[in-house]
Amino acid sequence: MAVKKSQIYSSLWKSCDALRGGMDASQYKDYILTLLFLKYVSDRSLSDPDAQIEVPEGCHFADMVKLKGTKDIGEGIDKIIAKVAETNGLGGVIDIAKFNDPAKLGDGKDMVDRLSKLMDIFSRPELDFRKNRAEGDDILGDAYEYLMRHFAADSGKSKGQFYTPAEVSRIMAKVVGINRATTRQHTIYDPTCGSGSLLLKANDAAPDGLSIYGQEKDVATYALARMNMVIHNCADAELWRENTLTKPYHKGADGKLKQFDFIVANPPFSDKAWSTGLDDNDKFGRFAYGTPPAKNGDYAYLLHVLASMKSTGKAAVVMPHGVLFRGNAEADIRRELLKRGYIKGIIGLPANLFYGTGIPACLIVLDKTHAGSRTGIFMIDASKGYTKDGPKNRLRSQDVHKIIDVFERQTEIAGYSRIVLLAEINTNDGNLNIPRYIDGSEAEDLQDIDAHLRGGIPTRDVDALQEYWDVMPGLRADLFGPGSRSGYLASKVEPAQVRTTIHAHPEFDAFATTAREIFAAWREANIDAMRDFDRGHHPSHLIVTISEDLLARFRAAPLIDGYDAYQHIMTYWSEIMQDDAYQITTDGWPVAKVLRELLKDADGKFSEEPDLVLGSGRSAKKLKAEIIPPALIVARYFAKEQAEIEALETKAEEIDRQIEELEEEYGGEDGLFADAKTDTEKLTAASVKARLRTIKGDRDADEERKQLQAWSVLSAVKAGVASEVNQARTTLNAKVASKYAKLSDGEAIALAVEDKWLAAICSALEAEIDHVSQALTGRIKTLNERYAVPLPVLSKTAEQLEKKVASHLSKMGFR
């Protein structure tokens, strides 16, 4: 049975737990990623005769597992790795992490236990890569990417630069023009390729891939890149380990720099040592437009990229914002690039996006095609579109899509994007700082002094909500009427009634109906694609198809941002739906009928929460539904039984309320129940029974006896109802479990597609409709409350209150 991506990620992250403490993430990542690589190539060699890596006899992962518990486990693993490296020319790549290093892995038994635990983790079924790869969908590659992202986050400020966030990589691939017309003959290059993630994301954008070239100076990071290429089926990528600026490896037959169709790069920001080891006269002619400052290498890398581009080449480079406006030598270089028209676009990104630095960065898009006739630069200020992700910011799917759409179409959006003519830039002496050309600041919420003094709501504030009035013109007239003077309006509705008024208005109802009709049309157009999705299909194709159609349809929706609608489906995909799709593409729809029994791990714990429990006590079976939650089975087939249980639970809640009322009335320190409580100040059936025996026949205790008996009766009834609930729930659970196996494929598809996927997406889009009313309600209430009471009235009220206080103080003898 296929394993969910989330399970793979969970197991891999647990492997990191086995190494934490002895070293930091910048070190233990080498061990984990090396083991992941070896497990992958070992498994693939057993199932794929055309596997790119040859695994010698005695060097499979199973041979490593045989070393568990032995005193020479570290040495044995190193020997296996060394032989695989030697056989495949991977020396200095997969043998960097030493598994027989007591300084990092502990001495004696500590090392044996730690490495044995790692072997156990990597032997789990979810990490069997002979079967966990859907054709066309890179499950293992995604897992590798997942680990590197987390390692980058954990590695600290100075050690996380080996990784470019995947979202940024996708943007860079698109803005340089990698698309369906791209072929395997097109070349792509990254002069500071790090772990290779940026190159691979760019390669993914081409339907048949690209010819990959890269260079990286750090030994360990270069090793990550080589392994990353193999895991992503790009073992033929031509990577080299050396300093790109001082010893560029990729050259043509004439000894000059090799030139490429596409270049993507995320060089180290403001490298202070860039010129170390570089000859005064660069023989590659990279600095013909000026020599960058000796202590800042940003333009050194940018000029290397420019020199490595073909005459039709395109590039996207991550740079700190300083390159856009710094003066002196950098200003001179910038003016030369502008004069020649090499800069096609600039995209400002959010701050705190990249690992290793919190400063905001931008993408410089270079394009030599038609450079001589270029008259402007397309700028985007995307600095505000992101979500928080732990200590970092992260671009959402909607942010990525919007940046790409706007850049490719050169769409001008106020406060977000515009084409800036070179003539305007020249008047600013070549300064490219984005805020000079795009005002992305939020409009200030101005206070109206006259309205505070004389009342009324400023007409300009109501006019600012014109996007709502364009859709619901009559609503404005029902919310606001003419004011006492020109330029001001009067509210017709009390603040507490604004939301009700909006929701009850026929124009709001018409807006909501339109949005629902758009969703209904999308549902009708895409439901068959979801129903027909089956074994061997591509999950990535499914989500692209249905999400792009949703975005296209909601672009025309009033008041709802199409990108917000798109984000909902992409969030649901990443959290839930993609796991379902990967299981279906491997096992077909029968997997939707599976209830898997949960088993305890080596530590005697369950690693997952059960969805259904059969029986009770130690013999209880804890079951996990692979795709269809039990609640959906209940809703479709056992609604009557569920209603009966809910009625019993309501009865139990009512009894609880009655018991609480008794205890609240008589449970005080001197109350009738005081002597019936346990040492922990609780009433129990036993303690109440004991107290009733004590006061039996005591006429002075008649009232106490009466109330304790009432409590006892309620407690007994409650226990009885609880027993009924448990019995009914046990019976229902058994029926639900039995139903899974009896489901037809058609029923399973209906439950998953209609009751689960579409219902969740519909609910999220309903929230967008509600968000419209909330936003409008909030603003109108703010305006109503802000100007409800003019300042003179407030002053008079304050004066009257002050007089009252003074009068009271006088009566109390204070003068």
Coordinates of all heavy atoms in Angstrom, one line a residue, residues 58 98 124 137 148 214 240 258 284 292-293 313 315 403 459 494 663 665 734 771:
G58 N 26.8 -6.6 -1.6 CA 27.2 -6.4 -0.2 C 27.1 -5.0 0.3 O 27.5 -4.6 1.4
K98 N 31.3 11.0 8.2 CA 31.9 9.8 8.7 C 31.1 9.2 9.8 O 30.8 9.9 10.9 CB 33.3 10.2 9.2 CG 34.2 10.8 8.1 CD 34.4 9.8 7.0 CE 35.3 10.4 5.9 NZ 35.4 9.6 4.7
R124 N 11.8 1.6 7.9 CA 10.3 1.7 8.0 C 9.7 1.5 6.6 O 10.3 1.9 5.6 CB 9.9 3.0 8.6 CG 10.2 3.0 10.1 CD 9.8 4.3 10.7 NE 10.0 4.4 12.1 CZ 9.7 5.4 12.9 NH1 9.1 6.5 12.4 NH2 9.9 5.3 14.2
D137 N 5.7 12.1 -10.7 CA 5.6 12.9 -9.5 C 6.8 12.5 -8.5 O 6.9 11.3 -8.2 CB 4.3 12.6 -8.8 CG 3.1 13.2 -9.6 OD1 3.0 14.4 -9.6 OD2 2.3 12.4 -10.1
M148 N 15.9 19.5 3.3 CA 16.9 20.6 3.1 C 16.2 21.9 3.6 O 16.9 22.8 4.2 CB 17.3 20.7 1.7 CG 18.4 19.6 1.4 SD 19.3 20.0 -0.1 CE 18.1 19.9 -1.3
G214 N 26.3 23.6 -13.3 CA 26.4 24.4 -12.0 C 27.8 24.3 -11.4 O 28.6 23.5 -11.8
W240 N 30.4 21.3 -10.8 CA 31.9 21.4 -10.5 C 32.1 22.1 -9.2 O 31.3 23.0 -8.8 CB 32.6 22.1 -11.6 CG 34.1 22.0 -11.5 CD1 34.9 23.0 -11.0 CD2 34.9 20.9 -11.7 NE1 36.2 22.6 -11.0 CE2 36.3 21.3 -11.5 CE3 34.7 19.6 -12.2 CZ2 37.3 20.4 -11.6 CZ3 35.7 18.8 -12.3 CH2 37.0 19.1 -12.0
K258 N 31.7 29.7 -21.0 CA 30.6 29.0 -21.8 C 29.4 29.9 -21.5 O 29.1 30.4 -20.5 CB 30.4 27.6 -21.2 CG 29.3 26.9 -21.9 CD 29.1 25.5 -21.4 CE 28.0 24.7 -22.0 NZ 28.1 24.5 -23.4
F284 N 38.4 36.9 -18.4 CA 37.2 36.5 -19.0 C 36.3 37.8 -19.4 O 35.2 37.6 -19.9 CB 36.4 35.6 -18.1 CG 37.1 34.4 -17.7 CD1 37.6 34.2 -16.4 CD2 37.3 33.4 -18.7 CE1 38.3 33.0 -16.1 CE2 37.9 32.2 -18.3 CZ 38.5 32.0 -17.1
P292 N 33.5 45.9 -9.5 CA 32.7 46.1 -8.3 C 33.6 46.5 -7.1 O 34.8 46.2 -7.1 CB 32.1 44.7 -8.1 CG 32.1 44.1 -9.4 CD 33.4 44.6 -10.1
P293 N 33.0 47.0 -6.1 CA 33.8 47.4 -4.9 C 34.5 46.1 -4.3 O 34.0 45.0 -4.3 CB 32.8 47.9 -3.9 CG 31.6 48.3 -4.7 CD 31.6 47.4 -5.9
G313 N 20.2 35.0 -24.3 CA 20.1 34.4 -22.9 C 19.2 35.2 -22.0 O 19.0 36.4 -22.2
A315 N 18.2 35.5 -17.6 CA 18.7 35.2 -16.3 C 17.8 35.8 -15.2 O 17.2 36.9 -15.4 CB 20.1 35.6 -16.1
I403 N 2.7 36.8 -8.9 CA 4.0 37.4 -9.4 C 4.3 36.9 -10.8 O 4.6 37.7 -11.7 CB 5.2 37.0 -8.5 CG1 5.1 37.7 -7.1 CG2 6.5 37.4 -9.2 CD1 6.0 37.2 -6.1
T459 N -18.1 61.8 3.5 CA -18.4 61.1 2.3 C -17.3 60.4 1.6 O -17.4 59.4 1.0 CB -19.0 62.2 1.3 OG1 -20.2 62.8 1.9 CG2 -19.5 61.5 0.0
E494 N -27.8 51.4 13.1 CA -27.0 51.3 14.3 C -25.9 50.3 14.1 O -26.0 49.3 13.4 CB -27.9 50.8 15.5 CG -28.9 51.8 16.0 CD -28.3 53.1 16.5 OE1 -27.2 53.0 17.2 OE2 -28.8 54.2 16.2
E663 N -24.8 21.3 42.9 CA -23.5 21.4 43.5 C -23.2 22.9 43.8 O -22.6 23.3 44.8 CB -22.4 20.8 42.7 CG -22.6 19.2 42.7 CD -21.5 18.6 41.9 OE1 -20.7 19.3 41.2 OE2 -21.4 17.3 41.9
E665 N -25.5 25.2 44.3 CA -26.3 25.7 45.4 C -26.0 25.2 46.7 O -26.0 25.9 47.8 CB -27.8 25.4 45.1 CG -28.8 25.9 46.1 CD -30.2 25.7 45.6 OE1 -30.5 25.2 44.5 OE2 -31.1 26.1 46.4
A734 N -18.8 -0.4 15.1 CA -18.7 -1.7 14.4 C -19.4 -1.7 13.1 O -18.9 -2.3 12.1 CB -19.3 -2.8 15.3
H771 N -16.1 36.6 4.4 CA -15.0 37.6 4.6 C -15.4 38.9 4.0 O -15.1 40.0 4.5 CB -13.7 37.1 4.0 CG -12.6 38.1 4.1 ND1 -12.0 38.4 5.2 CD2 -12.0 38.9 3.1 CE1 -11.1 39.3 5.0 NE2 -11.1 39.6 3.7

